[in-house]
Amino acid sequence: QRPLILHLLKHPETSTNVSAYCLEHHVVRQTARTDLAQLADMGLLQTAKLKREFIYTPAPDFEQRVKGM
């Protein structure tokens, strides 16, 4: 999760999904879903459904939330 958080701090306009997370972080789909869901539960990511997949984007106050961790 840390590499994603660091990437989103540098590129807040970025979004991701389970497939992209799997490829970039070399994890299986279940791990990707769990990681992204945990970040969403923490309020760091917002979730939107586009067709049949979820898209994750940084929350509006992402940087402040990360700095408060």
Coordinates of all heavy atoms in Angstrom, one line a residue:
Q1 N 0.8 -1.2 0.0 CA 0.0 0.0 0.0 C 0.9 1.3 0.0 O 0.5 2.3 -0.6 CB -0.9 0.0 1.2 CG -2.0 -1.1 1.2 CD -2.8 -1.1 2.4 OE1 -2.5 -0.5 3.4 NE2 -3.9 -1.8 2.4
R2 N 2.0 1.2 0.6 CA 2.9 2.4 0.7 C 3.3 2.9 -0.6 O 3.2 4.1 -0.9 CB 4.1 2.1 1.6 CG 5.0 3.2 1.8 CD 6.2 2.8 2.6 NE 7.3 3.8 2.6 CZ 7.4 4.8 3.4 NH1 6.6 4.9 4.5 NH2 8.4 5.6 3.3
P3 N 3.7 2.1 -1.6 CA 4.1 2.6 -2.9 C 2.9 3.3 -3.6 O 3.1 4.4 -4.2 CB 4.5 1.4 -3.7 CG 4.9 0.4 -2.7 CD 4.0 0.6 -1.5
L4 N 1.7 2.8 -3.4 CA 0.5 3.5 -4.0 C 0.3 4.9 -3.4 O 0.1 5.8 -4.0 CB -0.7 2.6 -3.9 CG -2.0 3.3 -4.4 CD1 -1.9 3.6 -5.9 CD2 -3.2 2.4 -4.1
I5 N 0.4 4.9 -2.1 CA 0.2 6.2 -1.3 C 1.3 7.2 -1.8 O 0.9 8.3 -2.1 CB 0.3 6.0 0.2 CG1 -1.0 5.2 0.6 CG2 0.4 7.3 0.9 CD1 -0.9 4.7 2.1
L6 N 2.5 6.8 -1.9 CA 3.6 7.7 -2.3 C 3.3 8.2 -3.7 O 3.5 9.3 -4.1 CB 4.9 7.0 -2.2 CG 5.4 6.7 -0.8 CD1 6.7 5.9 -0.8 CD2 5.5 8.0 0.0
H7 N 2.9 7.3 -4.6 CA 2.6 7.6 -6.0 C 1.5 8.7 -6.1 O 1.5 9.6 -6.8 CB 2.2 6.4 -6.8 CG 1.9 6.7 -8.2 ND1 2.8 7.0 -9.2 CD2 0.7 6.8 -8.9 CE1 2.2 7.2 -10.3 NE2 0.9 7.1 -10.2
L8 N 0.4 8.4 -5.3 CA -0.7 9.3 -5.3 C -0.4 10.7 -4.7 O -1.0 11.7 -5.1 CB -1.9 8.7 -4.6 CG -2.5 7.5 -5.3 CD1 -3.6 6.9 -4.4 CD2 -3.1 7.8 -6.6
L9 N 0.5 10.7 -3.8 CA 1.0 12.0 -3.2 C 1.7 12.9 -4.3 O 1.5 14.1 -4.4 CB 1.9 11.8 -2.1 CG 1.3 11.5 -0.7 CD1 2.4 11.1 0.3 CD2 0.4 12.6 -0.2
K10 N 2.4 12.2 -5.2 CA 3.1 12.9 -6.3 C 2.2 13.2 -7.5 O 2.4 14.1 -8.2 CB 4.3 12.0 -6.8 CG 5.4 11.9 -5.8 CD 6.5 11.0 -6.3 CE 7.6 10.8 -5.3 NZ 8.6 9.8 -5.7
H11 N 1.2 12.3 -7.7 CA 0.3 12.4 -8.8 C -1.1 12.3 -8.3 O -1.8 11.3 -8.6 CB 0.6 11.3 -9.8 CG 2.1 11.3 -10.3 ND1 2.6 12.2 -11.2 CD2 3.1 10.5 -9.9 CE1 3.9 11.9 -11.3 NE2 4.2 10.9 -10.5
P12 N -1.7 13.3 -7.7 CA -3.0 13.2 -7.1 C -4.2 13.1 -8.1 O -5.3 12.7 -7.8 CB -3.2 14.5 -6.3 CG -2.2 15.4 -6.9 CD -1.0 14.6 -7.4
E13 N -3.9 13.3 -9.4 CA -4.9 13.2 -10.4 C -5.0 11.7 -10.9 O -5.9 11.4 -11.7 CB -4.6 14.1 -11.6 CG -3.4 13.6 -12.5 CD -2.0 13.8 -11.9 OE1 -1.9 14.5 -10.9 OE2 -1.1 13.2 -12.4
T14 N -4.2 10.9 -10.4 CA -4.2 9.5 -10.8 C -5.3 8.7 -10.2 O -5.7 8.9 -9.1 CB -2.8 8.8 -10.4 OG1 -1.8 9.6 -10.9 CG2 -2.7 7.4 -10.8
S15 N -5.8 7.7 -11.0 CA -6.8 6.8 -10.5 C -6.2 5.4 -10.7 O -5.3 5.2 -11.5 CB -8.1 6.9 -11.2 OG -8.0 6.6 -12.5
T16 N -6.8 4.4 -10.1 CA -6.3 3.0 -10.3 C -7.5 2.1 -10.2 O -8.6 2.5 -9.8 CB -5.2 2.6 -9.3 OG1 -4.6 1.4 -9.7 CG2 -5.7 2.5 -7.9
N17 N -7.3 0.8 -10.5 CA -8.3 -0.2 -10.4 C -7.6 -1.5 -10.0 O -6.4 -1.5 -9.9 CB -9.1 -0.4 -11.7 CG -8.3 -0.8 -12.9 OD1 -7.3 -1.5 -12.7 ND2 -8.6 -0.3 -14.0
V18 N -8.3 -2.6 -9.7 CA -7.7 -3.8 -9.3 C -6.7 -4.3 -10.3 O -5.6 -4.7 -9.9 CB -8.8 -4.8 -8.9 CG1 -8.2 -6.2 -8.6 CG2 -9.7 -4.4 -7.8
S19 N -7.1 -4.3 -11.5 CA -6.1 -4.9 -12.5 C -4.8 -4.1 -12.6 O -3.8 -4.7 -12.6 CB -6.8 -4.9 -13.9 OG -7.9 -5.7 -13.9
A20 N -4.9 -2.8 -12.6 CA -3.7 -2.0 -12.7 C -2.9 -2.2 -11.4 O -1.6 -2.3 -11.5 CB -4.1 -0.5 -12.9
Y21 N -3.5 -2.3 -10.3 CA -2.8 -2.5 -9.0 C -2.1 -3.8 -9.0 O -0.9 -3.9 -8.6 CB -3.8 -2.4 -7.9 CG -3.1 -2.3 -6.5 CD1 -2.8 -1.1 -5.9 CD2 -2.9 -3.5 -5.8 CE1 -2.2 -1.1 -4.6 CE2 -2.3 -3.5 -4.5 CZ -2.0 -2.3 -3.9 OH -1.4 -2.2 -2.7
C22 N -2.7 -4.8 -9.5 CA -2.1 -6.2 -9.6 C -0.8 -6.1 -10.5 O 0.2 -6.6 -10.1 CB -3.0 -7.2 -10.3 SG -4.4 -7.7 -9.3
L23 N -0.9 -5.5 -11.6 CA 0.3 -5.4 -12.5 C 1.4 -4.6 -11.9 O 2.5 -5.0 -12.0 CB -0.2 -4.9 -13.9 CG -1.1 -5.7 -14.7 CD1 -1.6 -5.0 -16.0 CD2 -0.3 -7.0 -15.1
E24 N 1.1 -3.5 -11.4 CA 2.1 -2.6 -10.9 C 2.8 -3.1 -9.6 O 4.0 -2.8 -9.5 CB 1.5 -1.2 -10.7 CG 2.5 -0.1 -10.4 CD 2.0 1.3 -10.6 OE1 1.2 1.5 -11.4 OE2 2.4 2.1 -9.8
H25 N 2.0 -3.7 -8.8 CA 2.6 -4.2 -7.5 C 2.8 -5.7 -7.4 O 3.2 -6.1 -6.3 CB 1.7 -3.7 -6.4 CG 1.5 -2.2 -6.4 ND1 2.5 -1.3 -5.9 CD2 0.5 -1.4 -6.8 CE1 2.1 -0.1 -6.1 NE2 0.9 -0.1 -6.6
H26 N 2.6 -6.4 -8.5 CA 2.9 -7.8 -8.6 C 2.2 -8.6 -7.4 O 2.8 -9.4 -6.7 CB 4.4 -8.1 -8.5 CG 5.1 -7.3 -9.6 ND1 5.1 -7.6 -10.9 CD2 5.9 -6.2 -9.5 CE1 5.8 -6.7 -11.6 NE2 6.3 -5.8 -10.7
V27 N 0.9 -8.4 -7.3 CA 0.1 -9.1 -6.3 C -1.1 -9.7 -7.1 O -1.4 -9.4 -8.2 CB -0.4 -8.1 -5.2 CG1 0.7 -7.6 -4.4 CG2 -1.3 -7.0 -5.8
V28 N -1.7 -10.7 -6.4 CA -2.9 -11.4 -6.9 C -4.1 -10.5 -6.8 O -4.1 -9.5 -6.0 CB -3.1 -12.7 -6.3 CG1 -2.0 -13.7 -6.6 CG2 -3.4 -12.6 -4.8
R29 N -5.2 -10.8 -7.5 CA -6.4 -9.9 -7.5 C -7.0 -9.7 -6.1 O -7.4 -8.7 -5.7 CB -7.4 -10.4 -8.4 CG -7.0 -10.3 -9.9 CD -8.1 -10.7 -10.8 NE -9.3 -9.8 -10.8 CZ -9.3 -8.6 -11.4 NH1 -8.3 -8.2 -12.1 NH2 -10.4 -7.9 -11.3
Q30 N -7.0 -10.8 -5.3 CA -7.6 -10.7 -3.9 C -6.8 -9.7 -3.1 O -7.3 -9.0 -2.3 CB -7.6 -12.1 -3.3 CG -8.3 -12.1 -1.9 CD -9.7 -11.6 -2.0 OE1 -10.5 -12.0 -2.8 NE2 -10.1 -10.6 -1.1
T31 N -5.5 -9.8 -3.2 CA -4.6 -8.8 -2.4 C -4.9 -7.4 -2.8 O -5.0 -6.5 -2.0 CB -3.1 -9.2 -2.6 OG1 -2.9 -10.5 -2.1 CG2 -2.2 -8.2 -1.8
A32 N -5.0 -7.2 -4.1 CA -5.3 -5.9 -4.7 C -6.6 -5.4 -4.2 O -6.7 -4.2 -3.7 CB -5.2 -5.9 -6.2
R33 N -7.6 -6.2 -4.2 CA -9.0 -5.8 -3.7 C -8.9 -5.5 -2.3 O -9.5 -4.4 -1.8 CB -10.0 -6.9 -4.0 CG -10.5 -7.0 -5.4 CD -11.7 -7.9 -5.5 NE -11.4 -9.3 -5.2 CZ -11.0 -10.2 -6.1 NH1 -10.9 -9.9 -7.3 NH2 -10.7 -11.4 -5.7
T34 N -8.2 -6.3 -1.5 CA -8.1 -6.0 -0.1 C -7.4 -4.7 0.2 O -7.8 -3.9 1.0 CB -7.4 -7.2 0.6 OG1 -8.2 -8.4 0.4 CG2 -7.3 -7.0 2.1
D35 N -6.2 -4.5 -0.4 CA -5.5 -3.3 -0.2 C -6.3 -2.1 -0.5 O -6.3 -1.1 0.2 CB -4.2 -3.3 -1.0 CG -3.1 -4.3 -0.5 OD1 -3.3 -4.9 0.6 OD2 -2.1 -4.4 -1.2
L36 N -6.9 -2.1 -1.7 CA -7.6 -0.9 -2.1 C -8.9 -0.7 -1.2 O -9.2 0.5 -0.9 CB -8.0 -1.1 -3.6 CG -6.9 -1.0 -4.6 CD1 -7.3 -1.5 -6.0 CD2 -6.2 0.3 -4.6
A37 N -9.5 -1.7 -0.8 CA -10.7 -1.6 0.0 C -10.3 -1.0 1.4 O -11.0 -0.2 2.0 CB -11.4 -2.9 0.2
Q38 N -9.1 -1.5 1.9 CA -8.7 -1.0 3.2 C -8.4 0.5 3.1 O -8.7 1.3 4.0 CB -7.4 -1.7 3.7 CG -7.7 -3.1 4.2 CD -6.4 -3.8 4.6 OE1 -5.3 -3.5 4.2 NE2 -6.6 -4.9 5.3
L39 N -7.7 1.0 2.0 CA -7.4 2.4 1.8 C -8.7 3.2 1.7 O -8.8 4.3 2.2 CB -6.5 2.6 0.6 CG -5.1 2.0 0.8 CD1 -4.4 2.1 -0.6 CD2 -4.3 2.8 1.9
A40 N -9.7 2.6 1.0 CA -11.0 3.3 0.9 C -11.7 3.4 2.3 O -12.3 4.4 2.7 CB -11.9 2.5 -0.1
D41 N -11.6 2.3 3.1 CA -12.2 2.3 4.4 C -11.5 3.3 5.3 O -12.2 3.8 6.2 CB -12.1 0.9 5.1 CG -13.0 -0.1 4.4 OD1 -14.0 0.3 3.7 OD2 -12.8 -1.3 4.6
M42 N -10.3 3.5 5.1 CA -9.5 4.5 5.9 C -9.8 6.0 5.5 O -9.4 6.9 6.1 CB -8.0 4.3 5.8 CG -7.6 3.0 6.4 SD -5.9 2.5 5.9 CE -4.9 3.9 6.6
G43 N -10.6 6.1 4.4 CA -10.9 7.4 3.9 C -9.9 8.0 2.9 O -10.0 9.2 2.6
L44 N -8.9 7.2 2.6 CA -7.8 7.8 1.7 C -8.3 7.7 0.2 O -7.8 8.6 -0.6 CB -6.6 7.0 1.9 CG -5.9 7.1 3.3 CD1 -4.7 6.1 3.4 CD2 -5.5 8.5 3.5
L45 N -9.1 6.8 -0.2 CA -9.5 6.6 -1.5 C -11.0 6.7 -1.6 O -11.7 6.3 -0.7 CB -9.1 5.3 -2.1 CG -7.6 5.0 -2.2 CD1 -7.4 3.6 -2.8 CD2 -6.9 6.0 -3.0
Q46 N -11.5 7.3 -2.8 CA -12.9 7.2 -3.1 C -13.1 6.1 -4.1 O -12.2 5.9 -4.9 CB -13.3 8.6 -3.7 CG -13.3 9.7 -2.7 CD -13.7 11.0 -3.4 OE1 -13.4 11.3 -4.5 NE2 -14.4 11.8 -2.6
T47 N -14.3 5.5 -4.1 CA -14.6 4.4 -5.0 C -15.7 4.8 -5.9 O -16.7 5.4 -5.4 CB -15.0 3.2 -4.2 OG1 -14.0 2.9 -3.2 CG2 -15.2 2.0 -5.0
A48 N -15.6 4.5 -7.2 CA -16.7 4.7 -8.1 C -16.7 3.5 -9.0 O -15.7 2.9 -9.3 CB -16.4 6.0 -9.0
K49 N -17.9 3.1 -9.4 CA -18.1 2.0 -10.3 C -18.2 2.4 -11.7 O -19.1 3.3 -12.0 CB -19.3 1.1 -9.9 CG -19.3 -0.2 -10.5 CD -20.3 -1.1 -9.9 CE -20.2 -2.5 -10.5 NZ -21.1 -3.4 -9.9
L50 N -17.4 1.9 -12.6 CA -17.5 2.2 -14.0 C -17.7 0.9 -14.7 O -16.8 0.0 -14.7 CB -16.2 2.9 -14.4 CG -16.1 3.3 -15.9 CD1 -17.1 4.3 -16.2 CD2 -14.7 3.8 -16.2
K51 N -18.8 0.7 -15.3 CA -19.2 -0.6 -15.9 C -19.1 -1.7 -14.9 O -19.9 -1.7 -13.9 CB -18.4 -0.9 -17.2 CG -18.7 0.2 -18.2 CD -18.0 -0.2 -19.5 CE -18.3 0.9 -20.5 NZ -17.6 0.6 -21.8
R52 N -18.2 -2.6 -15.0 CA -18.1 -3.8 -14.1 C -16.9 -3.7 -13.2 O -16.6 -4.7 -12.5 CB -18.1 -5.0 -14.9 CG -19.4 -5.3 -15.6 CD -19.3 -6.6 -16.4 NE -18.2 -7.5 -16.2 CZ -17.8 -8.5 -16.9 NH1 -18.5 -8.7 -18.0 NH2 -16.8 -9.2 -16.6
E53 N -16.3 -2.6 -13.1 CA -15.1 -2.5 -12.2 C -15.1 -1.2 -11.3 O -15.8 -0.3 -11.7 CB -13.8 -2.6 -13.0 CG -13.5 -1.4 -13.8 CD -12.1 -1.5 -14.5 OE1 -11.3 -2.3 -14.0 OE2 -11.9 -0.8 -15.5
F54 N -14.4 -1.3 -10.2 CA -14.3 -0.2 -9.4 C -13.1 0.6 -9.7 O -12.0 0.0 -9.9 CB -14.3 -0.6 -7.9 CG -15.6 -1.1 -7.4 CD1 -15.8 -2.5 -7.3 CD2 -16.6 -0.2 -7.0 CE1 -17.1 -2.9 -6.9 CE2 -17.8 -0.7 -6.5 CZ -18.0 -2.1 -6.5
I55 N -13.2 1.9 -9.7 CA -12.1 2.9 -9.9 C -11.8 3.5 -8.6 O -12.8 4.0 -7.9 CB -12.5 3.9 -11.0 CG1 -12.9 3.2 -12.3 CG2 -11.3 4.9 -11.2 CD1 -11.9 2.4 -12.9
Y56 N -10.6 3.6 -8.2 CA -10.2 4.2 -7.0 C -9.4 5.5 -7.2 O -8.5 5.5 -8.0 CB -9.3 3.3 -6.1 CG -10.1 2.0 -5.7 CD1 -10.1 0.9 -6.6 CD2 -10.7 1.9 -4.5 CE1 -10.8 -0.2 -6.2 CE2 -11.4 0.8 -4.2 CZ -11.4 -0.3 -5.0 OH -12.1 -1.4 -4.7
T57 N -9.8 6.6 -6.6 CA -9.2 7.9 -6.8 C -8.9 8.4 -5.4 O -9.6 8.1 -4.4 CB -10.1 8.9 -7.5 OG1 -11.3 9.0 -6.9 CG2 -10.3 8.4 -9.0
P58 N -7.9 9.3 -5.3 CA -7.6 9.9 -3.9 C -8.8 10.7 -3.4 O -9.4 11.4 -4.2 CB -6.4 10.8 -4.2 CG -5.8 10.3 -5.5 CD -6.9 9.7 -6.3
A59 N -9.0 10.7 -2.2 CA -10.0 11.5 -1.5 C -9.6 12.9 -1.7 O -8.4 13.3 -1.8 CB -10.2 11.1 -0.1
P60 N -10.6 13.9 -1.6 CA -10.2 15.3 -1.7 C -9.2 15.8 -0.7 O -8.4 16.6 -1.0 CB -11.6 16.0 -1.5 CG -12.6 15.0 -1.9 CD -12.0 13.7 -1.5
D61 N -9.3 15.2 0.5 CA -8.3 15.5 1.6 C -7.2 14.5 1.8 O -6.7 14.3 2.9 CB -9.1 15.8 2.9 CG -9.9 14.6 3.3 OD1 -10.0 13.6 2.5 OD2 -10.4 14.6 4.5
F62 N -6.9 13.8 0.7 CA -5.9 12.7 0.7 C -4.6 13.1 1.4 O -4.2 12.4 2.3 CB -5.7 12.2 -0.7 CG -4.6 11.1 -0.8 CD1 -5.0 9.8 -0.5 CD2 -3.3 11.4 -1.2 CE1 -4.0 8.8 -0.6 CE2 -2.4 10.4 -1.3 CZ -2.7 9.1 -1.0
E63 N -4.0 14.2 0.9 CA -2.7 14.6 1.4 C -2.8 14.9 3.0 O -1.9 14.5 3.7 CB -2.2 15.8 0.7 CG -0.8 16.2 1.0 CD -0.2 17.3 0.2 OE1 -0.8 17.6 -0.9 OE2 0.8 17.9 0.6
Q64 N -3.8 15.6 3.4 CA -4.0 15.9 4.8 C -4.1 14.6 5.6 O -3.6 14.5 6.7 CB -5.2 16.8 5.1 CG -4.9 18.2 4.6 CD -5.2 18.3 3.1 OE1 -5.8 17.4 2.4 NE2 -4.8 19.4 2.5
R65 N -4.9 13.7 5.1 CA -5.1 12.4 5.8 C -3.8 11.6 5.9 O -3.6 11.0 7.0 CB -6.2 11.5 5.1 CG -7.6 12.1 5.4 CD -8.6 11.1 4.7 NE -10.0 11.6 4.8 CZ -10.7 11.0 5.8 NH1 -10.3 10.1 6.6 NH2 -12.0 11.5 5.9
V66 N -3.1 11.6 4.9 CA -1.8 10.8 4.9 C -0.8 11.5 5.9 O -0.2 10.8 6.7 CB -1.2 10.8 3.5 CG1 0.2 10.2 3.5 CG2 -2.0 9.9 2.6
K67 N -0.8 12.8 5.9 CA 0.1 13.5 6.8 C -0.3 13.3 8.3 O 0.5 13.3 9.1 CB 0.2 15.0 6.5 CG 1.0 15.2 5.2 CD 1.1 16.7 4.9 CE 1.9 16.9 3.6 NZ 1.9 18.3 3.2
G68 N -1.6 13.0 8.5 CA -2.1 12.8 9.8 C -1.9 11.4 10.3 O -2.2 11.0 11.5
M69 N -1.3 10.5 9.5 CA -1.2 9.1 9.9 C 0.1 8.9 10.8 O 1.0 9.5 10.6 CB -1.1 8.2 8.7 CG -2.3 8.2 7.9 SD -2.2 7.2 6.4 CE -2.4 5.6 7.0

